[in-house]
Amino acid sequence: MSTTTMTHDEAHHHGAPTGWKRWLYSTNHKDIGTLYLLFALVMLFLGGASAMMIRAELFMPGIQLIDPDLYNNLVTNHALLMIFGAVMPAAAGLANWMIPLMIGAPDMALPRMNNLSFWILPAAATMLILSFVVPFFPGGGTQINTGWTIYPPLSVQVGMSMDFLIFAIHLLGVSSVLASINIIVTLLNMRAPGMTLMKMPMFCWTWLVTAFLLILVVPVLAGGVTMLLFDRHFGTSFFDAAGGGDPVLFQHLFWFFGHPEVYILLLPSIGVLSHVIPTFARKPLFGYRSMVGAMLAVATIGMVVWAHHQYTIGMSLGAVTYFMVGTILISIPVGLMVFNFIATMWRGAMTFETPMLFAVGIILMFTFGGLSGVMLAVVPADMQYHDSMFVVAHFHYVLMPGAVFGLFAGVFYWLPKWTGNMYDERLGKLFFWINVIGFNITFFPQHFLGLAGMPRRIIDYNVMFTEFNVLSSIGAMIFGLSHLLFLYIVIQTIRGGKSLKRSGAKSWEGAKGLEWEVDSPPAFHTWETAPQIK
Amino acid sequence: MKATSPVDAGKRRTTLLLAGLAVGMFAFGFALVPLYNLICQATGLQSVAVRSNGGPGAVRTGGTVVDNTREVVVKFDTSVHPNLPWEFAATQQRLQVVPGQMYEVIFKARNRSSSQVVGQAIPSIVPWQATPYFNKLECFCFNRQLLEGGESTDMPLRFVVSPDLPEGINSLTLAYSFLKLDEDAAPNRTNAISSATAVKSATPKGKSDVSTGT
């Protein structure tokens, strides 16, 4: 990066700077939030394109469009692009935009670090895309055919694209740790006078917990992939049984990160729901304190049950029993959250604008995914379901509603605030219905495929699975294409125009909170004098 | 960043604490390498090298622990199904073994017919209670066996009897019966076994195909 002569003061207390410098040098939480969200949108389409290719190949049994290594590379990329590229940055974008507005702070606590943590992302995404592109060139080595879990010994044998991936993971990790530090420092030090922790909006609470989880687990993954790098190039044998290592150790390191990661993806969306549902039910959130407690319980238990992803590695009965009981315990606080949301809606004056439609959809479908999660947590059952399409159906039912639909709800909820324009409600509802129907056609049949024995991550399948796969692929095309409508709605709302209503400071009748007291769109600098909270 | 106001001092302190936490967790990842082995040894959770007292379902191999205080007699019994035109016998009828130590026994097989025949050995252990403690490291029964007409072969069996073998058992019998794999009569079963074998035999080749890219 070039050394800049622009000092902090020049950009301060004026309007937005113009041109590319506004974005590259930005220290403004709103601009960085926008950058995060746009980056996530681009990655959503890249990850979606990989998913479309996977489903196109699985439309029929046999190998038609791509070869097996490329297929496995697409599976790997789909996961990494969606998790690290789309969901985490989108949640960070919401955090950047909304946390300072919600707690009455002028900006994030560490604006320059904020800039750094965003601008590492495009570099990391480039590395990730290079890891996919490199094998197409002579001497580029083999494709990453390991899946996103990159288990050794296979990941030690993959060509140089694995090195690109390892460094991409390092960069992504640095970015999210920096962003998390920034969020925690902001939340702990910059709340408006009078706003105690227990008066903090729920979205801020969910992000406080998420950020702590990130700081606790992402460095462990970074350590794990660093060991992998050493095993590949420097002759160590952390994971090589011939040299005294143990490949299973990598699985522990990976899932020590990987399981809390699930809650990292989920919690910000729970935060969004805690604002959307009270707004459209026109009732305050039921059980604020119990929500906070449940969330802390989920995060704590979620840190110590990682090996339920590894039941089949041959642990002793005592160990699998512990991991099973711990995993099933998580359903208690999660169930509490769901009941709190239902109690919030109970006898409320509900209206069903797009964010609320997504919220209700999440409660139904996420609970369904949670239920299949309890099935998978039970050891003897999981021995059968392990690595089958049932697992694929399960985690898409928790991650799509639990994370992505929550982000959609958040975007529709706050888009009028960000842009000053109301989105087209008719199109929003249309998007919701196409999206949700497409989602269910795609993933519901995969439960049956898994129970009938179709393995995941394999390009070809027995002809007996054809019908459900055809159905799933057709659903996937509907689901995938529906996001073009989302893109259209977002662009239309940003551009504004006569067809759209303007949004006042308070975009929704039932909305409560500091973020609705600033203009829509908010001025470049807001809350320069902190509001007083009673 | 000069810490001028109390808020700035607070920010600075929180930032440093959190950065320390992140670095600490990175170090913790590496600390897990020795910790993992220690925990697995202490609790017998699991490791590839050492598996000990698991529950009833756990595999018991005894690992490297040799129990010199005990001797167990292992007898070998062989039989050939009438549909398989083979001779099949162990080179030893019985063996005194020390639990925890590895032994090798050679089995001989000869195809009496003039055409190619595929056979599969099915093992069983008497008394059955000893089955989880008899750990085969290498066995011709893991794969189907193909013999050309008139061909004979030596097939090794390597095994360890676990030191956890219950006290009452001092003698056990390992019985093999060889069956003919009929490709026409049971296509599904043959396919399943042959594809499993194909995966096994393809592994070294697949390994060389994968360039390490270094």
Side-chain angles (χ1 to χ4, degrees):
Chain A
M1 214 89 351
S2 65
T3 52
T4 166
T5 51
M6 192 181 77
T7 65
H8 187 61
D9 292 322
E10 258 176 85
H12 218 71
H13 306 303
H14 298 285
T18 49
W20 58 273
K21 283 186 181 174
R22 167 173 178 180
W23 304 104
L24 189 59
Y25 296 164
S26 180
T27 53
N28 181 287
H29 75 96
K30 301 181 188 75
D31 281 357
I32 293 175
T34 306
L35 285 171
Y36 263 115
L37 287 166
L38 292 177
F39 176 83
L41 195 56
V42 174
M43 292 293 129
L44 178 74
F45 278 93
L46 285 180
S50 335
M52 290 302 102
M53 286 170 77
I54 292 168
R55 275 321 316 176
E57 175 57 54
L58 291 180
F59 186 65
M60 281 286 151
I63 299 174
Q64 288 94 19
L65 305 172
I66 44 186
D67 68 81
D69 274 336
L70 181 59
Y71 175 85
N72 286 341
N73 199 167
L74 284 169
V75 171
T76 313
N77 268 19
H78 168 65
L80 291 167
L81 286 168
M82 286 302 194
I83 292 168
F84 290 104
V87 175
M88 285 165 75
L94 293 184
N96 259 293
W97 249 104
M98 301 318 296
I99 286 177
L101 290 182
M102 282 178 165
I103 62 171
D107 205 312
M108 297 296 280
L110 310 161
R112 283 173 192 242
M113 198 162 90
N114 207 10
N115 175 294
L116 178 65
S117 58
F118 172 75
W119 281 108
I120 289 174
L121 281 183
T126 311
M127 293 286 264
L128 190 59
I129 292 164
L130 276 176
S131 80
F132 180 70
V133 171
V134 152
F136 290 105
F137 289 91
T142 46
Q143 265 136 347
I144 303 176
N145 47 13
T146 58
W148 82 294
T149 50
I150 53 173
Y151 283 174
L154 189 54
S155 56
V156 176
Q157 297 163 357
V158 171
M160 70 162 97
S161 43
M162 183 56 76
D163 301 318
F164 281 104
L165 178 59
I166 287 173
F167 287 122
I169 291 175
H170 277 139
L171 287 177
L172 291 161
V174 169
S175 164
S176 48
V177 167
L178 291 181
S180 303
I181 291 178
N182 204 349
I183 286 167
I184 297 176
V185 175
T186 308
L187 286 172
L188 293 186
N189 294 289
M190 296 183 64
R191 295 190 311 278
M195 185 184 277
T196 58
L197 276 177
M198 290 311 284
K199 283 185 185 167
M200 205 160 64
M202 265 312 285
F203 181 72
C204 301
W205 256 114
T206 54
W207 250 108
L208 185 64
V209 176
T210 305
F212 265 111
L213 281 179
L214 276 165
I215 293 178
L216 287 173
V217 300
V218 168
V220 175
L221 175 71
V225 294
T226 307
M227 292 175 211
L228 197 58
L229 190 74
F230 281 19
D231 271 14
R232 288 168 54 82
H233 297 296
F234 305 122
T236 57
S237 28
F238 287 106
F239 309 128
D240 182 3
D246 190 341
V248 175
L249 172 63
F250 182 83
Q251 301 186 11
H252 284 291
L253 290 172
F254 184 88
W255 288 112
F256 185 83
F257 150 82
H259 193 65
E261 173 71 14
V262 175
Y263 302 107
I264 291 167
L265 302 173
L266 167 72
L267 287 178
S269 293
I270 293 285
V272 172
L273 280 198
S274 313
H275 290 260
V276 169
I277 292 179
T279 298
F280 296 100
R282 292 166 182 80
K283 273 176 66 190
L285 181 68
F286 183 89
Y288 174 92
R289 281 168 177 277
S290 66
M291 281 295 274
V292 173
M295 202 171 54
L296 291 172
V298 168
T300 313
I301 309 174
M303 287 286 292
V304 291
V305 295
W306 69 90
H308 62 217
H309 295 264
Q310 309 160 252
Y311 283 152
T312 56
I313 61 174
M315 284 181 288
S316 66
L317 194 65
V320 289
T321 308
Y322 159 74
F323 284 112
M324 174 172 83
V325 172
T327 307
I328 297 174
L329 271 182
I330 293 184
S331 58
I332 296 171
V334 173
L336 183 71
M337 289 181 184
V338 171
F339 281 122
N340 275 348
F341 288 141
I342 295 173
T344 307
M345 291 192 278
W346 180 252
R347 294 191 168 175
M350 291 206 284
T351 51
F352 294 94
E353 284 85 351
T354 312
M356 186 60 167
L357 284 178
F358 272 109
V360 176
I362 291 165
I363 292 172
L364 284 171
M365 290 181 290
F366 176 74
T367 308
F368 186 84
L371 219 59
S372 57
V374 176
M375 289 170 73
L376 286 169
V378 179
V379 179
D382 181 75
M383 294 289 176
Q384 312 296 317
Y385 306 150
H386 187 85
D387 259 344
S388 74
M389 290 300 277
F390 189 82
V391 177
V392 176
H394 157 68
F395 69 69
H396 281 94
Y397 261 91
V398 280
L399 286 185
M400 284 301 303
V404 181
F405 288 180
L407 297 170
F408 282 148
V411 168
F412 281 108
Y413 184 58
W414 285 313
L415 203 55
K417 169 58 57 189
W418 300 333
T419 62
N421 301 315
M422 284 305 285
Y423 62 88
D424 187 335
E425 190 60 62
R426 214 168 31 90
L427 286 182
K429 283 180 178 167
L430 183 67
F431 168 65
F432 167 79
W433 285 112
I434 301 178
N435 193 267
V436 163
I437 291 171
F439 166 77
N440 281 291
I441 298 177
T442 311
F443 292 107
F444 202 76
Q446 295 183 4
H447 289 105
F448 304 125
L449 288 172
L451 293 177
M454 179 174 162
R456 70 187 183 123
R457 288 176 165 170
I458 294 186
I459 186 167
D460 193 6
Y461 54 84
N462 194 308
V463 285
M464 68 184 264
F465 300 127
T466 311
E467 286 83 359
F468 278 137
N469 270 297
V470 169
L471 194 60
S472 180
S473 286
I474 291 172
M477 295 302 146
I478 300 173
F479 185 50
L481 290 176
S482 75
H483 293 87
L484 293 175
L485 182 58
F486 176 71
L487 184 67
Y488 175 78
I489 297 171
V490 169
I491 293 173
Q492 190 196 32
T493 314
I494 293 172
R495 291 167 60 110
K498 281 194 217 91
S499 61
L500 297 181
K501 275 184 287 184
R502 297 285 302 164
S503 164
K506 204 170 158 185
S507 310
W508 308 104
E509 180 206 334
K512 295 212 165 51
L514 286 179
E515 77 265 37
W516 305 107
E517 287 172 27
V518 297
D519 293 336
S520 302
F524 197 57
H525 295 288
T526 43
W527 297 130
E528 287 178 303
T529 48
Q532 192 73 37
I533 312 291
K534 289 164 284 282
Chain B
M1 207 198 287
K2 275 163 277 172
T4 44
S5 72
V7 173
D8 281 346
K11 279 194 219 170
R12 199 185 162 85
R13 203 182 58 239
T14 325
T15 310
L16 287 174
L17 276 174
L18 292 172
L21 183 62
V23 174
M25 287 310 289
F26 186 71
F28 173 70
F30 282 86
L32 276 177
V33 179
L35 275 177
Y36 170 69
N37 288 328
L38 283 176
I39 291 171
C40 289
Q41 273 163 18
T43 62
L45 280 187
Q46 194 269 341
S47 100
V48 172
V50 183
R51 293 179 189 169
S52 58
N53 287 322
V59 182
R60 299 169 195 219
T61 69
T64 51
V65 188
V66 179
D67 183 2
N68 282 314
T69 59
R70 271 181 91 181
E71 279 208 336
V72 179
V73 178
V74 179
K75 295 174 198 153
F76 302 101
D77 180 39
T78 57
S79 63
V80 181
H81 193 269
N83 70 1
L84 184 71
W86 285 12
E87 288 162 11
F88 170 56
T91 50
Q92 278 164 293
Q93 298 308 311
R94 47 181 285 145
L95 196 64
Q96 293 269 0
V97 305
V98 173
Q101 202 146 313
M102 195 189 74
Y103 295 89
E104 184 179 274
V105 176
I106 303 290
F107 286 70
K108 286 186 177 298
R110 192 177 76 83
N111 184 352
R112 285 191 274 106
S113 78
S114 58
S115 55
Q116 188 187 71
V117 176
V118 178
Q120 172 73 48
I122 310 291
S124 67
I125 286 167
V126 182
W128 65 267
Q129 288 89 341
T131 311
Y133 307 94
F134 190 90
N135 192 37
K136 296 189 272 295
L137 303 175
E138 188 183 328
C139 178
F140 51 90
C141 57
F142 292 163
N143 295 321
R144 60 178 194 160
Q145 299 294 329
L146 187 150
L147 287 185
E148 298 293 339
E151 186 187 350
S152 58
T153 183
D154 287 356
M155 301 178 297
L157 161 74
R158 291 201 187 87
F159 68 92
V160 178
V161 174
S162 164
D164 299 333
L165 184 73
E167 283 297 322
I169 303 176
N170 294 317
S171 150
L172 50 95
T173 304
L174 173 62
Y176 280 109
S177 45
F178 239 110
L179 307 172
K180 183 180 181 185
L181 279 186
D182 192 342
E183 317 255 337
D184 306 320
N188 283 335
R189 194 192 152 87
T190 317
N191 283 349
I193 292 173
S194 65
S195 68
T197 325
V199 168
K200 270 196 178 152
S201 61
T203 318
K205 232 189 280 168
K207 213 170 185 176
S208 62
D209 282 344
V210 181
S211 80
T212 52
T214 51

